[in-house]
Amino acid sequence: MEHKSLDYIEQYNDKLGDYCDWMIQLGAECESEIEGYFRVYHIETYPGVGREPKFIGYFPTSMPPEMLAHFASVCQEYYELGKMSTFNLTKPVEWQHL
């Protein structure tokens, strides 16, 4: 199925929705999008938060939904680590020698 077809996008988003709160879109024809890439968005799913999609970045159209879902889980893990006060990714890590 052609990656630019509406059916393909809907099926991709359905599979993606089973694992994470990300979705894909093709750029509008008037936009100067990167050829061969989808626009990827995070959909807010927390109670009391609007469901306005937030742009994450570009991913290749050849990337299967399962791979993008696994990538989303890695991003979630780093997000959770960054929220922990004992492991703050915004500060440089000071290594201690054993």
Side-chain angles (χ1 to χ4, degrees), residues 36-56:
Y37 288 82
F38 289 123
R39 292 175 60 90
V40 180
Y41 293 87
H42 175 250
I43 303 168
E44 295 289 345
T45 56
Y46 302 107
V49 177
R51 292 186 52 88
E52 183 68 28
K54 293 185 177 41
F55 178 67
I56 296 173

Side-chain angles (χ1 to χ4, degrees), residues 3 5 15 19-20 24 36 54 60 65 68 73 84 86-87 93 97:
H3 74 272
S5 76
K15 287 182 184 177
Y19 302 101
C20 64
I24 62 164
K54 293 185 177 41
L68 191 55
S73 69
M84 295 172 49
T86 58
F87 190 83
V93 175
H97 299 284

Side-chain angles (χ1 to χ4, degrees), residues 25-83:
Q25 290 182 349
L26 285 175
E29 299 223 1
C30 61
E31 296 179 68
S32 58
E33 295 297 327
I34 302 171
E35 185 64 31
Y37 288 82
F38 289 123
R39 292 175 60 90
V40 180
Y41 293 87
H42 175 250
I43 303 168
E44 295 289 345
T45 56
Y46 302 107
V49 177
R51 292 186 52 88
E52 183 68 28
K54 293 185 177 41
F55 178 67
I56 296 173
Y58 294 97
F59 286 86
T61 56
S62 60
M63 183 178 284
E66 296 83 6
M67 180 68 82
L68 191 55
H70 290 300
F71 189 75
S73 69
V74 170
C75 290
Q76 181 66 34
E77 178 67 21
Y78 274 90
Y79 172 77
E80 294 299 328
L81 286 173
K83 288 185 350 184

